[in-house]
Amino acid sequence: MAEVFSSEVFLAYSTYSTIVLLKMLLMGPLTAYFRVTRKVFVNPEDANAHGAKDEESKKMYLRTDPDVERVRRCHQNDLENIVPFVGIGLLYALSGPDLTTAVMHFRIFAASRVFHSIAYLVPLPQPSRGLSWIVGMGVTFSMVYRVLKAGVHL
Amino acid sequence: MAEVFSSEVFLAYSTYSTIVLLKMLLMGPLTAYFRVTRKVFVNPEDANAHGAKDEESKKMYLRTDPDVERVRRCHQNDLENIVPFVGIGLLYALSGPDLTTAVMHFRIFAASRVFHSIAYLVPLPQPSRGLSWIVGMGVTFSMVYRVLKAGVHL
Amino acid sequence: MAEVFSSEVFLAYSTYSTIVLLKMLLMGPLTAYFRVTRKVFVNPEDANAHGAKDEESKKMYLRTDPDVERVRRCHQNDLENIVPFVGIGLLYALSGPDLTTAVMHFRIFAASRVFHSIAYLVPLPQPSRGLSWIVGMGVTFSMVYRVLKAGVHL
């Protein structure tokens, strides 16, 4: 069982998958932080819990805020890109790639996604966010190629 | 191959992952149920299929409904939290944890997510939903810690 | 390590998982294509980068477009259905199913999701999209049944 963890490639996959999934997961608390500090809610029960006493303040709290929406879009982009990386990366790690190549894939992906979040949240002028998105996707495409090359059963 | 299934920890991971993924998946039919019974659609072809005969009734059907949006937010929160659990949980199950500890992690996570959905959909007053969200995330963080402690390759 | 890849069932899982994850991933570039060609953006920095020179053209670019929203809904539906398939499919592939049965599951799922995207994007009249969604979900439910039947640890 623990055998799989004795492989260096799988260990690298485990490390980087955990890092990017953790990064993605932290967008949740970040959204909550912006919602609570700016008093921007979407559920009436949340507005109530954060001090909306009358109907008027309740209405004021139930609105959209550009910064909250920005964090949510960043989170959504993580879901759309990090989740496929984790799925395809597992198959890639099990397909017996060269350790150096594999670690390079994982490192570039993780770096591109951390930079993507920074570029989204600051925000940095384009094309910084667009390029980091493309780099991350390129890594996943490269792993797709390797997985399918290692063996196909249709 | 089937060896991995002979490990009790992996079997527990398999059971609880399946349960929470199934719970997440069922939010889709629930959204569809609300859309069809309340005649609230987002695609014109859906409005047509559910009896919107003229332009006026078509417009009436293409709207947003607070309850449909609530189910969708609940579904989205599942995607944001259950998917990382499934990914990190796999690595956790393979990292050779103690069976009792592992099962406790899985049980608390599954219970917190089922309660989260109930708290979201009823809805229960806050902080019930917030707390169940935090508990689920805490379980995932604890598994992250264990996975990274079991071995890191950067 | 590479042992798991010598199993035909796992190889089939690897192939079809990669195909559907790749299909899902390609919805991102498709959204970007529609945004750029139709000049429909959600981030001010994106509008700037695509030639919004003054405040007026900037406002004009920051809007929603029915076709962009359609691609995004299609992408979201993929996240909601393909991700659970990949997670449950892994457990299913490891549970020692019959090769013919497993390949049939994977083929039907992949075909249903490709058809779902076509039905969503053309769009085809309902119930074509609804039926393909139900077929895909039916495959996942069938795999859930098999995984839980292979062994449960609560």
Side-chain angles (χ1 to χ4, degrees):
Chain A
M1 180 64 145
E3 248 175 75
V4 89
F5 250 70
S6 66
S7 141
E8 282 299 310
V9 169
F10 194 84
L11 204 56
Y13 166 72
S14 165
T15 305
Y16 284 98
S17 275
T18 303
I19 288 170
V20 292
L21 283 174
L22 190 63
K23 192 225 84 55
M24 180 172 97
L25 207 53
L26 289 175
M27 302 308 285
L30 189 62
T31 306
Y33 171 80
F34 274 110
R35 285 205 182 281
V36 170
T37 54
R38 303 197 171 188
K39 306 233 179 261
V40 179
F41 301 105
V42 65
N43 295 301
E45 67 269 27
D46 302 0
N48 285 350
H50 288 93
K53 277 155 212 151
D54 45 42
E55 281 308 304
E56 208 184 326
S57 65
K58 208 163 161 174
K59 260 183 206 164
M60 235 177 58
Y61 285 7
L62 296 177
R63 55 193 167 97
T64 58
D65 174 89
D67 291 330
V68 171
E69 294 308 305
R70 187 174 279 277
V71 180
R72 291 182 61 221
R73 288 196 299 276
C74 186
H75 199 169
Q76 183 70 15
N77 196 281
D78 275 355
L79 277 170
E80 292 170 4
N81 290 278
I82 288 177
V83 173
F85 167 83
V86 170
I88 291 165
L90 174 68
L91 301 169
Y92 173 73
L94 295 174
S95 75
D98 176 57
L99 177 62
T100 318
T101 315
V103 170
M104 202 180 65
H105 275 78
F106 300 155
R107 274 185 197 152
I108 295 173
F109 184 83
S112 79
R113 293 310 303 180
V114 169
F115 184 77
H116 181 272
S117 294
I118 295 168
Y120 218 144
L121 298 179
V122 170
L124 300 178
Q126 283 284 33
S128 49
R129 193 186 87 234
L131 285 180
S132 58
W133 174 63
I134 288 170
V135 167
M137 207 174 282
V139 170
T140 309
F141 286 159
S142 168
M143 297 195 309
V144 163
Y145 173 75
R146 159 78 207 189
V147 167
L148 295 179
K149 217 183 133 200
V152 162
H153 185 112
L154 285 166
Chain B
M1 181 63 145
E3 248 175 74
V4 89
F5 251 68
S6 66
S7 140
E8 282 298 310
V9 169
F10 194 85
L11 204 57
Y13 166 72
S14 166
T15 304
Y16 284 98
S17 276
T18 303
I19 288 171
V20 290
L21 283 174
L22 189 63
K23 193 225 83 56
M24 180 172 97
L25 207 54
L26 289 175
M27 302 308 286
L30 189 62
T31 306
Y33 171 79
F34 275 111
R35 285 205 182 282
V36 169
T37 53
R38 303 197 171 187
K39 306 233 179 262
V40 179
F41 302 105
V42 65
N43 295 300
E45 67 268 26
D46 302 0
N48 285 349
H50 288 93
K53 277 154 211 153
D54 44 42
E55 280 309 302
E56 207 183 328
S57 66
K58 210 163 160 173
K59 260 183 208 164
M60 235 177 57
Y61 285 6
L62 296 177
R63 57 192 165 97
T64 58
D65 174 88
D67 290 331
V68 171
E69 294 308 304
R70 186 174 278 279
V71 180
R72 292 182 61 221
R73 288 196 299 275
C74 185
H75 199 168
Q76 183 70 15
N77 196 280
D78 275 355
L79 278 169
E80 293 170 4
N81 290 279
I82 288 176
V83 173
F85 167 83
V86 170
I88 290 166
L90 175 67
L91 301 169
Y92 172 72
L94 294 173
S95 75
D98 175 57
L99 177 62
T100 317
T101 315
V103 170
M104 202 180 65
H105 275 78
F106 300 156
R107 274 185 197 153
I108 295 173
F109 184 84
S112 79
R113 294 311 303 181
V114 169
F115 184 76
H116 181 272
S117 293
I118 295 168
Y120 218 144
L121 298 179
V122 169
L124 300 178
Q126 284 282 33
S128 49
R129 194 186 87 235
L131 285 180
S132 58
W133 175 63
I134 288 171
V135 167
M137 206 173 284
V139 170
T140 309
F141 286 160
S142 168
M143 298 195 308
V144 163
Y145 173 74
R146 159 78 207 189
V147 167
L148 294 180
K149 217 184 133 200
V152 163
H153 184 113
L154 285 166
Chain C
M1 179 67 143
E3 247 175 76
V4 89
F5 250 69
S6 66
S7 142
E8 282 299 308
V9 169
F10 195 84
L11 205 56
Y13 165 72
S14 166
T15 305
Y16 284 98
S17 274
T18 304
I19 288 171
V20 291
L21 284 173
L22 189 63
K23 193 227 83 57
M24 180 172 97
L25 207 53
L26 289 174
M27 302 308 285
L30 190 62
T31 306
Y33 171 79
F34 274 111
R35 285 205 182 281
V36 169
T37 54
R38 303 197 169 187
K39 306 233 180 261
V40 179
F41 301 105
V42 65
N43 295 300
E45 67 268 27
D46 301 0
N48 285 350
H50 288 92
K53 278 154 211 153
D54 43 41
E55 281 307 304
E56 208 183 327
S57 64
K58 209 164 159 174
K59 260 182 206 164
M60 235 177 58
Y61 285 8
L62 296 178
R63 56 194 167 95
T64 58
D65 175 89
D67 291 330
V68 171
E69 295 307 305
R70 188 174 278 278
V71 181
R72 291 181 62 221
R73 288 197 298 275
C74 185
H75 199 168
Q76 183 70 16
N77 196 281
D78 275 355
L79 278 170
E80 293 170 5
N81 291 277
I82 288 176
V83 173
F85 167 83
V86 170
I88 290 165
L90 175 67
L91 301 169
Y92 172 73
L94 295 173
S95 75
D98 175 57
L99 176 61
T100 317
T101 314
V103 170
M104 202 180 66
H105 275 77
F106 300 156
R107 274 185 197 153
I108 295 173
F109 184 83
S112 79
R113 294 310 303 181
V114 169
F115 185 77
H116 181 272
S117 293
I118 294 168
Y120 217 144
L121 298 178
V122 169
L124 300 177
Q126 283 282 34
S128 49
R129 194 186 87 235
L131 284 180
S132 58
W133 174 63
I134 287 170
V135 168
M137 206 174 283
V139 170
T140 309
F141 287 159
S142 168
M143 297 196 308
V144 162
Y145 172 75
R146 159 78 207 189
V147 168
L148 295 180
K149 217 184 131 198
V152 163
H153 185 112
L154 285 168

